[in-house]
Amino acid sequence: MTVDQLSVTFAALADPTRRAILARLARGEAGVTELAEPFAMSLPAVSKHLKVLERAGLITRGREAQWRPCRLAAEPLAEVAGWVERYRRFWEGNFDRLDAHLREIMKGNTDD
C-alpha cells in the first residue's frame, strides 16, 4: 500500500518537537547540535526527528566540510495549506450562515 505525501507530511507534523524544529529552521539553516539545544533529549533522538522530517520532504540536509546544515523545505507545507484552505472556506461559509440566522432570530426578538 502506498502512502500519499499529504499523510506523510501530517504524520511528520503531528509531533510538537518536529514542529518546533521546523519553526526554528524557518529562521534559517542550523546544525543538529543547534537544533537540539532547546530540547531535553539526546542528539540521536533529535537526529531521528530530523530523519522523519527529511523523509517527509520538509527539510534538506547539506554538507559543508564537517558541518551538516539542515534547511527548511516548505513545498510539502503548501500542499497542507491547500488542503486546510478548502476546509477553512467550508467552515467560514457555515459560520456566515449561522451569523445570518442568529441576526434574524435577534431581529425577531426585538420586533416584539
Side-chain angles (χ1 to χ4, degrees):
M1 171 157 78
T2 60
V3 178
D4 65 293
Q5 182 60 44
L6 188 60
S7 295
V8 172
T9 303
F10 273 121
L13 294 173
D15 186 275
T17 299
R18 292 193 286 267
R19 291 192 306 271
I21 290 170
L22 291 176
R24 166 53 191 88
L25 291 175
R27 297 191 319 257
E29 64 184 33
V32 176
T33 305
E34 183 180 349
L35 292 170
E37 285 174 2
F39 306 108
M41 64 178 69
S42 66
L43 286 177
V46 172
S47 289
K48 286 181 181 181
H49 283 294
L50 294 174
K51 286 177 186 172
V52 170
L53 293 170
E54 190 172 24
R55 279 193 302 270
L58 291 164
I59 67 166
T60 61
R61 293 169 140 190
R63 185 177 289 261
E64 296 174 15
Q66 301 248 326
W67 190 50
R68 297 209 46 191
C70 297
R71 295 175 186 89
L72 179 65
E75 294 83 14
L77 295 175
E79 185 179 359
V80 169
W83 187 85
V84 170
E85 176 64 19
R86 289 190 298 271
Y87 292 96
R88 183 189 63 80
R89 287 192 306 259
F90 169 78
W91 283 109
E92 280 184 356
N94 283 345
F95 289 139
D96 289 345
R97 285 188 294 282
L98 177 61
D99 187 48
H101 180 69
L102 292 174
R103 286 178 198 266
E104 283 298 314
I105 291 172
M106 295 304 288
K107 183 179 171 187
N109 286 342
T110 58
D111 289 344
D112 291 339

